[in-house]
Amino acid sequence: MGYAVQMKGITKSFPGVLANDGIDFAVEENEIHCLLGENGCGKSTLMNVLFGIHKQEAGEILIKDKKSTITNTKEAHDAGIGMVHQHFMLVNPMTALDNIMLGKEPIGLFLDRQVARREISAMIEKYGFQIDLDASVSELAVGIKQRMEIVKILYRGADIIIMDEPTAVLTPQEVQELFKILTGLKADGKTIIFITHKLEETMAISDRVTVLRGGKKVKTVVTAQSSEKELARYMVGYDVNFDLERPPVECGDILLEVRNVQLLPNARHSVSFEIRKGEILGIAGVDGNGQQELEEMIMGVRKAPKGGSIIVNGSDITGTTTKFRKAYGMGHIPSDRYKSAMVKDFSVRENYMLGFQDHADLNTYGFIKHKVLAAFSQAQIKKYNVVVSSDESSIGTLSGGNQQKVIISRELGHDPDVVIVAQPTRGLDIGAIEFVHSTLIDLRRQGKAVLLISVELTEIMTLSDRIAVLCGGEIMDSFENSRDVTREQLGLLMAGKAVGGSYGEE
Amino acid sequence: MQFLDSLITHILPLGYQLSIPIALAAIAATISERLGVINLGIEGQMLVGAFAAVVGSHLTGSPVIGILFGMIAGGVFGLLHVTVCVKLRSNQAVCGVAINLLALGLTDFLTTLIWGTKISALVTRLPNVTVPLLERIPIAGVFFRNQTVFFYLLPLIVAAAYIFFYKTRWGLRVMAIGHNPQAALSAGINVVKYRYVGLMIAGVLAGLGGAYLSVAFNNAFVSDMVAGRGFMGIASNIFGGWNPLGSFLASFLFAFAQSLRYYVAGAVVPTQITQMLPYAITLIVLIAVKKRSRAPEAMGVLE
Amino acid sequence: MEKNKTFGSIGAKLGDLGSSLFSIALALAMGAVIILFMGLNPLTAYAELWRGAFQNPTAIANTLSRATPLLLCGLSVAVARRAGLFNIGAEGQLHAGAIATILFMLAFPSLPRILLLPVGILIGMFAGAAWALIPGILKAKRGIHEVVVCIMCNYLIILFCAYLVNGPFLEPGSHVGQTTLIAEAGRLSNLFVPRSQLNTGFLIAIGVAVVVYIFLFKTSLGFKFRTVGSNPEAARAGGIIPEKISIGAMAFAGSIAALAGITEVLGKYYRFIDGFSPSFGFTGIAVAFLARSNPFGIILSALLFGTLDSGSLRMARVTGVSSDLIIVIQALVIFFVAIPNITKFFKLPKNVILARFDK
């Protein structure tokens, strides 16, 4: 059997980073090949080089044994390569049909949707996808959108399909459906490159796997002859300890109470829960099911609709401002680090002031106490081992893990009672993830009340004392003891299928 | 009755004449913003169009060639805008302001250079046409008597723009680019090319609008003669919901307010106050337009 | 997105300064090419420009006085810019300020100087702030782009002022649109050089620059302005309400722009004259962008533009190069400054530069 793609000695650097260092990568025809590695290991760069988005500095690319001359997406399509991006490339106000045919519309002076519809319907039927071609994209569920993306590239005649972290937005059940689709495509003769950082998926779907680390290729192995543990070692470079000590802590008084808060306008039930001193409540769920609303309503960043209330330390803070809540002992580690937690053009030191600019420690009569601020920022940098040359350099120049350390140490630096933590390890490497996790366990020991919102089931299951599952803006169910629940149960709940009694209130 | 009479025979036709440059600017704005590029430079593109048209007419004696000059000049300034914004990645609003300032300085500078004052010499004006037979229609005949070609050209341009946006695949692609350029790119569409061509066409339309002002509606170039019509066009485009038909209707509203000024002016209301009317209406319209849901989602976003 | 640099690394600062200087040089060079096309000598023209601006103390004083409204307008644009807003309404705001101050002074001519001057100035600043609130509030509450609103507001207020000084407040017997003169007590006094146009307005402008610097970089409200300007979502998560800041920033910017109009009418004309501002507000945009919204940089760039303005008259008189060329050069400066990393497009290979020196 021949090779679909051969990349030989690919080297590509960006200012200050050697993203790909002489990588050899070969994909056989009609196989599912996983490209495995942590964030920042060079997976995306390698695929962008294949796609012609970046030009390699050294090395050559063969596609079906022919030298590749791709420089843009259209040429990639012509060469039979298509990519399903992690963030869907769909135009919201347009219909599914328009989205699929976009860029490859039937020839003619005027738009002829009938011709395109016939061809696309046939394709949808052949693979057994269920897509309503007349629905506008914004109404479609995530899983359907992903199928649309696959149809899009099949419509363009792709036989090499690149899937970029396709499971990040799916429930475990949807992941199973996706795998079925991929197996079907393979049976139809397609070649699939599957980019991921998740070991279980790699084991479940791939024929072979290539592991990258720090811009270098570590190894290509036949999946069936390898193990999760071995792949993890290749990926990280050392033996990973998956278990985290979670020593028992005596739970105290209720510190945070959320009562009847309507998260999404069309949710049938509002949300209620409480968190005690020394407790981590994990909120599981697929992204976009009200997590951001929950996080922002608790912090007062987003206005909660009338009716619900948020109680901290026994006082109702429902109508108060974000500024008041932060001063009242609520720490916040936002889900979108770049957008909501930092100002990337500002210095690290100035970022240490963000959110506390009116705090009495840092402010006299409206003037900033620069010396106090500098002392605070330097102390936190030291305490949390933030790697930075000077606290006056801009935070945008730091790695994701160090940025997150700045944000965590800022929020914890004012000794909050309640900490709202959302997607704290998104985009971090394993070292930084370990740091974040041990910090959260430490908060629990110190007697803080922690709300942990995460789409990573493993994270939720290892850290939380109690777990609640969010779907469609409602709590599907909750578990008083996180050890009582299985992945499968959580997965069903995340997909909106109730398995037990309802926890949400009218 | 007398007012109704003058409404039909004078105010409405004048309103329509005044709506021509605004509507052309509005369509230019629609094209630009549907491609995700904020084009505040339309005002300046119209100004150089007006100036170049007078120069063309002055040099050749032919207002038609003058109009061609105006369209080319507008197109060149459109090219300047798209190059600076898309290729050189400048802030789009700032670039628009710079285009307007450049157009103002350049046209004043060259007018002074050629004619020694800030007003050009009088040039040959585009001759008016009368449509036989139709002009005899009672009352409405005034619309077919002694009007400029633009009078009939505008509906054609509006219709063409409408068909382009809603009935062709290029229109579909433009829509995709304005809402999600990344998606368009991944569908194999050359986003940069579309923006270049689109912004140049927008510039040509703006130049045409300027040329109309200087060699069809008037017959000379006067410093800053566009007087905010480019911005009124941008506002019409917003009011019209990024749709050529809507833009056309909205620009007529502005123009109608302007035309009123010729009839209400003088003794009753001071001229400055009537001059304020279109700007005030623009503001009120902007405030009144509901949530801007029809706006291209990626306006001002390159990727 | 435009990068809003803070006083971060020295390297970044030098880079900004370098590309600002480069932008000026490039704009002047393109101006020179235009002059060459006219068949004239650009060096002579620029030399006359320089002479016109600096040949004697009076010329220098007039240059400083020309820079005064540009400095204030530049600061106004910069304050808004730092908060993420594009204030192209400075032109209207300075009209609002000037007319309010003049009307107040005409209404209370007999007040003592100690009352008339400060209250008059404050009323003008208040008017400018109030006028700037229209785009500020529409931006904050309705999400309407402030640029379009500012443009409409400019036309409205300028026309309204024209109506006032040609109608109800027209100086009796005057053929041009202007009010009567205000009382001596309301006038700003001449500074340093008698008979020049330089007045205490210049000192006020320098003072405002210092205040703006301290405000932006030393106070927590200034920090909030800059945070909203750089990342409104992070600001909101940090307990800052971006809408409030937008409104406040426009009001602050409007009051500074108003000062530009006020110091002009109180220091130079002692009355409101229709068309007294040769679009100071728009030149202020160039001034602010050239200095990348750094208050001290704005002092320098206002001086540069003041020089161009005050020297261009002599240039026009002596060499015949129309002073409108200066507007072209200003527009080019905005273009070049707005392009990120402009210098990188013009890098010569090292050996080319060396080869030139070898000759």
Side-chain angles (χ1 to χ4, degrees):
Chain A
M1 190 164 281
Y3 285 106
V5 175
Q6 284 172 278
M7 302 179 82
K8 295 176 185 166
I10 302 296
T11 298
K12 171 73 195 168
S13 61
F14 298 105
V17 193
L18 186 56
N20 283 174
D21 185 0
I23 293 180
D24 293 324
F25 177 57
V27 182
E28 284 171 12
E29 264 177 39
N30 201 14
E31 71 165 339
I32 299 181
H33 194 126
C34 267
L35 188 55
L36 179 71
E38 288 197 79
N39 290 297
C41 71
K43 295 176 300 212
S44 325
T45 307
L46 189 67
M47 288 300 107
N48 284 336
V49 169
L50 175 60
F51 235 65
I53 295 169
H54 296 320
K55 181 96 189 85
Q56 72 271 28
E57 282 137 26
E60 64 167 351
I61 303 169
L62 300 177
I63 291 166
K64 292 167 205 157
D65 299 324
K66 272 196 302 205
K67 203 163 156 52
S68 161
T69 54
I70 297 172
T71 57
N72 63 40
T73 321
K74 195 163 169 30
E75 289 169 11
H77 292 155
D78 294 343
I81 304 182
M83 183 153 169
V84 175
H85 297 268
Q86 189 177 357
H87 303 286
F88 297 143
M89 296 293 179
L90 299 172
V91 184
N92 277 329
M94 299 192 343
T95 63
L97 177 67
D98 283 359
N99 262 288
I100 293 169
M101 71 173 175
L102 181 69
K104 192 178 178 266
E105 307 87 349
I107 305 295
L109 184 59
F110 296 109
L111 201 55
D112 191 346
R113 290 195 169 86
Q114 290 316 315
V115 174
R117 182 189 294 273
R118 249 174 275 140
E119 194 179 336
I120 294 168
S121 306
M123 193 172 277
I124 290 177
E125 216 155 295
K126 176 181 166 194
Y127 290 104
F129 297 162
Q130 280 168 341
I131 303 173
D132 175 8
L133 286 178
D134 296 313
S136 111
V137 168
S138 46
E139 301 163 4
L140 296 177
V142 176
I144 307 278
K145 286 185 187 173
Q146 192 168 54
R147 272 175 239 172
M148 264 185 68
E149 289 279 19
I150 296 174
V151 175
K152 244 170 89 177
I153 52 180
L154 292 174
Y155 177 64
R156 284 165 173 71
D159 45 20
I160 302 170
I161 299 171
I162 306 171
M163 307 284 303
D164 184 8
E165 303 262 1
T167 60
V169 289
L170 303 180
T171 64
Q173 283 75 16
E174 282 173 322
V175 170
Q176 290 312 315
E177 281 172 46
L178 173 69
F179 285 179
K180 253 184 244 158
I181 290 174
L182 295 182
T183 321
L185 288 171
K186 188 188 159 194
D188 197 42
K190 311 284 183 195
T191 306
I192 294 159
I193 303 175
F194 191 103
I195 306 174
T196 186
H197 65 271
K198 290 181 181 158
L199 295 167
E200 313 124 48
E201 290 170 5
T202 309
M203 296 305 294
I205 188 74
S206 64
D207 298 313
R208 292 197 304 153
V209 51
T210 296
V211 187
L212 300 187
R213 185 175 75 232
K216 287 192 178 127
K217 174 180 155 178
V218 183
K219 212 169 176 104
T220 297
V221 293
V222 175
T223 314
Q225 294 165 10
S226 181
S227 70
E228 231 174 272
K229 210 168 161 103
E230 187 193 22
L231 291 179
R233 196 171 60 241
Y234 292 150
M235 188 162 99
V236 186
Y238 52 88
D239 280 314
V240 185
N241 178 15
F242 286 114
D243 304 318
L244 201 70
E245 260 325 273
R246 193 151 52 82
V249 167
E250 191 70 16
C251 281
D253 305 334
I254 294 175
L255 285 186
L256 172 69
E257 197 178 345
V258 170
R259 250 191 238 153
N260 301 325
V261 171
Q262 182 83 16
L263 290 184
L264 298 177
N266 50 2
R268 280 163 303 148
H269 302 285
S270 56
V271 162
S272 303
F273 56 80
E274 75 285 310
I275 310 178
R276 292 170 184 278
K277 205 166 155 37
E279 189 178 51
I280 298 181
L281 172 66
I283 302 279
V286 179
D287 221 355
N289 276 288
Q291 287 96 331
Q292 201 180 348
E293 285 78 5
L294 177 63
E295 165 197 354
E296 293 182 353
M297 282 176 188
I298 294 177
M299 287 312 297
V301 175
R302 182 190 298 249
K303 236 190 181 154
K306 282 197 181 77
S309 50
I310 291 155
I311 295 150
V312 171
N313 253 336
S315 343
D316 190 334
I317 57 155
T318 311
T320 59
T321 59
T322 307
K323 181 173 137 181
F324 174 85
R325 294 181 204 205
K326 298 204 90 156
Y328 192 65
M330 295 178 73
H332 181 205
I333 294 153
S335 51
D336 195 328
R337 184 159 62 243
Y338 299 97
K339 261 194 188 159
S340 312
M342 56 183 231
V343 183
K344 71 173 176 5
D345 303 322
F346 282 7
S347 65
V348 170
R349 186 186 296 175
E350 283 191 309
N351 271 287
Y352 267 110
M353 183 161 61
L354 183 61
F356 300 94
Q357 56 279 340
D358 290 318
H359 205 274
D361 294 348
L362 296 175
N363 181 323
T364 42
Y365 305 111
F367 286 87
I368 299 162
K369 289 185 183 168
H370 275 281
K371 274 186 196 151
V372 179
L373 175 64
F376 175 69
S377 102
Q378 276 146 21
Q380 294 303 88
I381 285 172
K382 207 168 161 205
K383 188 170 164 196
Y384 285 84
N385 285 321
V386 182
V387 181
V388 55
S389 52
S390 148
D391 69 343
E392 286 179 273
S393 41
S394 97
I395 196 169
T397 60
L398 270 58
S399 71
N402 281 304
Q403 287 169 345
Q404 189 70 318
K405 279 185 183 177
V406 171
I407 292 155
I408 291 175
S409 62
R410 173 184 73 206
E411 297 299 318
L412 301 185
H414 295 271
D415 196 28
D417 300 322
V418 174
V419 189
I420 313 298
V421 187
Q423 321 296 357
T425 56
R426 188 175 271 175
L428 301 187
D429 59 37
I430 289 196
I433 291 173
E434 280 177 332
F435 166 81
V436 171
H437 285 177
S438 62
T439 306
L440 291 181
I441 293 292
D442 202 41
L443 282 180
R444 177 175 171 274
R445 190 187 49 77
Q446 291 168 21
K448 316 282 189 202
V450 180
L451 177 70
L452 170 66
I453 302 171
S454 176
V455 294
E456 299 286 343
L457 268 188
T458 319
E459 183 164 278
I460 292 279
M461 292 176 73
T462 41
L463 294 177
S464 316
D465 297 296
R466 291 187 298 132
I467 296 176
V469 184
L470 208 53
C471 178
E474 300 170 28
I475 288 185
M476 299 306 294
D477 206 345
S478 77
F479 301 91
E480 285 307 313
N481 190 338
S482 58
R483 301 192 200 284
D484 293 347
V485 64
T486 65
R487 266 187 109 75
E488 287 63 39
Q489 275 176 300
L490 290 179
L492 281 173
L493 290 167
M494 281 159 70
K497 298 182 179 86
V499 284
S502 174
Y503 187 75
E505 283 172 32
E506 301 299 319
Chain B
M1 194 61 212
Q2 202 191 351
F3 176 76
L4 199 69
D5 202 40
S6 83
L7 181 76
I8 293 173
T9 55
H10 292 105
I11 304 180
L12 280 181
L14 180 62
Y16 181 66
Q17 287 165 12
L18 289 169
S19 79
I20 292 169
I22 303 176
L24 288 171
I27 294 172
T30 306
I31 297 173
S32 309
E33 297 194 349
R34 275 184 175 254
L35 283 164
V37 179
I38 298 171
N39 189 353
L40 297 178
I42 289 174
E43 176 87 7
Q45 292 158 12
M46 291 177 83
L47 195 60
V48 292
F51 173 78
V54 164
V55 170
S57 187
H58 179 74
L59 289 180
T60 65
S62 157
V64 175
I65 295 180
I67 289 170
L68 278 179
F69 269 50
M71 289 164 75
I72 293 169
V76 168
F77 265 58
L79 178 65
L80 178 65
H81 185 77
V82 72
T83 308
V84 172
C85 290
V86 174
K87 187 157 182 8
L88 304 179
R89 316 184 80 84
S90 145
N91 177 307
Q92 298 177 2
V94 179
C95 176
V97 169
I99 292 252
N100 294 339
L101 199 61
L102 182 67
L104 185 69
L106 211 55
T107 53
D108 278 357
F109 177 76
L110 293 174
T111 311
T112 320
L113 196 66
I114 299 171
W115 288 288
T117 60
K118 291 216 172 181
I119 300 176
S120 78
L122 299 183
V123 295
T124 322
R125 174 182 187 156
L126 195 68
N128 286 355
V129 289
T130 296
V131 184
L133 294 179
L134 289 181
E135 60 146 337
R136 303 213 187 155
I137 299 173
I139 304 173
V142 67
F143 286 96
F144 301 99
R145 201 178 306 135
N146 207 24
Q147 300 290 357
T148 66
V149 180
F150 283 88
F151 211 85
Y152 314 109
L153 199 60
L154 181 63
L156 294 181
I157 293 177
V158 171
Y162 185 84
I163 291 170
F164 172 82
F165 282 126
Y166 294 103
K167 303 288 174 199
T168 72
R169 57 192 151 118
W170 303 287
L172 185 73
R173 292 176 182 189
V174 166
M175 171 116 85
I177 293 171
H179 282 298
N180 189 344
Q182 284 280 358
L185 201 65
S186 86
I189 295 169
N190 189 337
V191 175
V192 171
K193 190 175 91 190
Y194 271 79
R195 285 185 168 147
Y196 263 86
V197 174
L199 269 283
M200 276 171 73
I201 292 173
V204 167
L205 287 175
L208 184 66
Y212 167 80
L213 278 175
S214 65
V215 300
F217 193 69
N218 297 294
N219 56 346
F221 179 82
V222 185
S223 173
D224 198 17
M225 73 183 298
V226 177
R229 287 184 178 86
F231 293 113
M232 288 182 204
I234 294 171
S236 303
N237 152 63
I238 298 171
F239 187 38
W242 289 265
N243 172 331
L245 281 184
S247 300
F248 174 59
L249 293 177
S251 50
F252 185 74
L253 192 72
F254 290 117
F256 184 69
Q258 278 184 321
S259 69
L260 272 181
R261 135 183 166 214
Y262 290 89
Y263 292 91
V264 207
V268 197
V269 190
T271 47
Q272 291 95 354
I273 300 294
T274 42
Q275 275 180 298
M276 287 165 71
L277 215 56
Y279 306 108
I281 289 183
T282 309
L283 256 191
I284 292 166
V285 161
L286 282 173
I287 298 168
V289 172
K290 276 192 225 123
K291 188 112 173 72
R292 327 175 75 209
S293 53
R294 286 167 296 180
E297 288 167 13
M299 226 166 22
V301 183
L302 283 184
E303 285 164 1
Chain C
M1 211 186 105
E2 213 240 349
K3 270 198 176 166
N4 220 333
K5 287 268 164 58
T6 57
F7 280 22
S9 63
I10 292 169
K13 249 195 286 180
L14 275 181
D16 282 351
L17 184 64
S19 67
S20 290
L21 292 175
F22 185 80
S23 300
I24 297 165
L26 203 59
L28 286 174
M30 290 182 78
V33 172
I34 297 176
I35 298 171
L36 270 178
F37 269 112
M38 294 170 63
L40 300 170
N41 183 346
L43 291 180
T44 326
Y46 286 156
E48 288 305 331
L49 192 149
W50 182 262
R51 216 163 288 151
F54 298 110
Q55 60 184 345
N56 55 41
T58 314
I60 296 173
N62 284 338
T63 298
L64 294 182
S65 114
R66 291 243 167 188
T68 304
L70 301 182
L71 170 51
L72 287 163
C73 287
L75 289 169
S76 166
V77 175
V79 164
R81 184 83 209 127
R82 286 282 182 182
L85 295 161
F86 191 12
N87 180 22
I88 78 171
E91 184 68 16
Q93 292 144 20
L94 72 88
H95 275 81
I99 195 80
T101 299
I102 290 292
L103 291 186
F104 170 79
M105 290 194 171
L106 289 175
F108 302 98
S110 48
L111 283 179
R113 185 176 176 82
I114 187 113
L115 225 63
L116 186 63
L117 198 54
V119 174
I121 290 177
L122 280 178
I123 282 180
M125 289 172 74
F126 191 77
W131 191 245
L133 277 179
I134 298 175
I137 289 175
L138 288 182
K139 167 86 173 187
K141 300 282 180 203
R142 303 296 307 259
I144 306 173
H145 203 299
E146 68 277 11
V147 165
V148 181
V149 180
C150 279
I151 289 161
M152 296 304 139
C153 285
N154 284 346
Y155 283 115
L156 282 173
I157 191 72
I158 293 168
L159 284 167
F160 187 64
C161 288
Y163 157 70
L164 289 178
V165 301
N166 283 293
F169 297 97
L170 179 68
E171 183 184 32
S174 167
H175 296 292
V176 290
Q178 61 182 29
T179 65
T180 40
L181 289 168
I182 55 165
E184 294 268 353
R187 302 177 186 178
L188 293 174
S189 33
N190 179 282
L191 198 64
F192 305 134
V193 185
R195 261 187 251 280
S196 76
Q197 286 199 316
L198 188 61
N199 57 69
T200 38
F202 179 68
L203 296 184
I204 294 178
I206 297 281
V208 172
V210 174
V211 168
V212 166
Y213 172 80
I214 293 174
F215 171 78
L216 284 175
F217 297 102
K218 304 289 175 199
T219 71
S220 80
L221 189 56
F223 175 77
K224 292 179 192 173
F225 271 49
R226 290 187 294 120
T227 307
V228 171
S230 293
N231 186 347
E233 292 196 43
R236 197 185 297 280
I240 303 164
I241 299 169
E243 290 78 16
K244 276 191 185 170
I245 298 294
S246 292
I247 294 172
M250 278 313 283
F252 191 19
S255 67
I256 298 173
L259 263 180
I262 296 165
T263 51
E264 282 293 287
V265 294
L266 296 189
K268 291 178 189 165
Y269 313 116
Y270 313 128
R271 63 168 112 212
F272 191 102
I273 305 175
D274 190 12
F276 76 94
S277 162
S279 55
F280 290 130
F282 288 96
T283 314
I285 297 168
V287 169
F289 272 84
L290 181 57
R292 288 165 208 273
S293 302
N294 176 327
F296 294 131
I298 287 172
I299 297 180
L300 295 178
S301 68
L303 285 176
L304 173 81
F305 281 88
T307 305
L308 292 177
D309 263 357
S310 95
S312 68
L313 292 177
R314 186 185 164 93
M315 180 181 78
R317 201 174 60 243
V318 176
T319 66
V321 176
S322 150
S323 55
D324 293 319
L325 183 66
I326 297 307
I327 298 181
V328 174
I329 291 176
Q330 288 170 350
L332 292 173
V333 168
I334 304 184
F335 268 122
F336 298 143
V337 174
I339 297 169
N341 310 322
I342 176 116
T343 43
K344 84 170 177 223
F345 295 104
F346 291 90
K347 243 176 213 151
L348 290 171
K350 223 175 194 172
N351 49 7
V352 174
I353 302 171
L354 287 178
R356 279 199 192 145
F357 280 103
D358 286 344
K359 275 185 193 169

